[in-house]
Amino acid sequence: MVRPPPSPAFVQYIEDELLRAPLLFEQVAEGTVDALRRHMARLGAADRSATSDLIQGLTTHRGRVAQIYTQTLREQAAQDQARQAAPAPTPAPAKPGRPLALALVEEEEVAVDVELSHTIEYIKTHAEHELRELRTFVAALVGDLDVSADHNPFRPEAHAKALWASAQALPASRSWRMHFMRHATPPLANVLR
């Protein structure tokens, strides 16, 4: 079954959100810098220096970091639209007797996934009411009167992934990028509300 093309109102909603994304990130960056500065007083000398470097990196590279945040949101929205426009796949039959394979997972990748999960849950918890209203609004834009699915391409998952992608532009180690994520999550949730 082929789904109809997205309505002009839905396409306009996506474009409007993408136009707002750099400003949204600017507000997140300001809130993050404030949070990091408040947190610095409780740190030792080495961590205080690294936090200061992180603040300096965020200040110096803010434009690039905001650009990556916006571009990642754009790519995720395009992927979401393509996925919704594609016909529903038919499930392939399971192959009997196929053994399960185990794979090693790097500890750092698990830590990143955990941090992303914390960010997503924080946003969902602190913007629960707004997310429900947005889900209903976007469902109306796409013509889903039953609100049977979440059609919003800018779900908390998208913003969390965009935040992590933007953190990669910071001149810091992975652990300090995750430190950035921890301190950027509350400002992100507040801005998204």
Side-chain angles (χ1 to χ4, degrees), residues 51-107:
T51 301
S52 180
D53 291 346
L54 185 60
I55 291 170
Q56 182 63 37
L58 182 56
T59 304
T60 304
H61 301 285
R62 189 178 289 195
R64 176 77 178 128
V65 175
Q67 179 185 15
I68 292 171
Y69 181 86
T70 303
Q71 184 59 34
T72 304
L73 281 178
R74 183 178 302 282
E75 290 167 2
Q76 290 183 81
Q79 289 171 357
D80 193 65
Q81 283 184 315
R83 188 172 37 256
Q84 289 187 19
T90 56
K95 295 181 181 179
R98 185 172 178 210
L100 295 176
L102 297 177
L104 295 176
V105 179
E106 286 189 38
E107 206 172 298

Side-chain angles (χ1 to χ4, degrees), residues 18-152:
L18 290 172
L19 285 173
R20 285 188 200 103
L23 177 59
L24 180 143
F25 186 81
E26 286 296 320
Q27 293 172 328
V28 170
E30 287 175 21
T32 304
V33 167
D34 289 343
L36 286 169
R37 284 190 177 132
R38 284 191 309 270
H39 182 71
M40 267 181 30
R42 297 186 304 251
L43 298 175
D47 288 343
R48 194 174 18 243
S49 174
T51 301
S52 180
D53 291 346
L54 185 60
I55 291 170
Q56 182 63 37
L58 182 56
T59 304
T60 304
H61 301 285
R62 189 178 289 195
R64 176 77 178 128
V65 175
Q67 179 185 15
I68 292 171
Y69 181 86
T70 303
Q71 184 59 34
T72 304
L73 281 178
R74 183 178 302 282
E75 290 167 2
Q76 290 183 81
Q79 289 171 357
D80 193 65
Q81 283 184 315
R83 188 172 37 256
Q84 289 187 19
T90 56
K95 295 181 181 179
R98 185 172 178 210
L100 295 176
L102 297 177
L104 295 176
V105 179
E106 286 189 38
E107 206 172 298
E108 289 182 355
E109 293 303 318
V110 172
V112 169
D113 287 343
V114 167
E115 197 60 46
L116 284 170
S117 294
H118 286 299
T119 300
I120 293 165
E121 286 307 311
Y122 190 94
I123 294 169
K124 285 180 177 179
T125 301
H126 286 80
E128 181 180 359
H129 177 70
E130 292 82 359
L131 288 170
R132 266 190 269 128
E133 285 183 355
L134 186 59
R135 183 176 178 165
T136 305
F137 173 73
V138 174
L141 290 177
V142 298
D144 182 5
L145 301 178
D146 296 331
V147 192
S148 59
D150 190 358
H151 302 281
N152 182 15

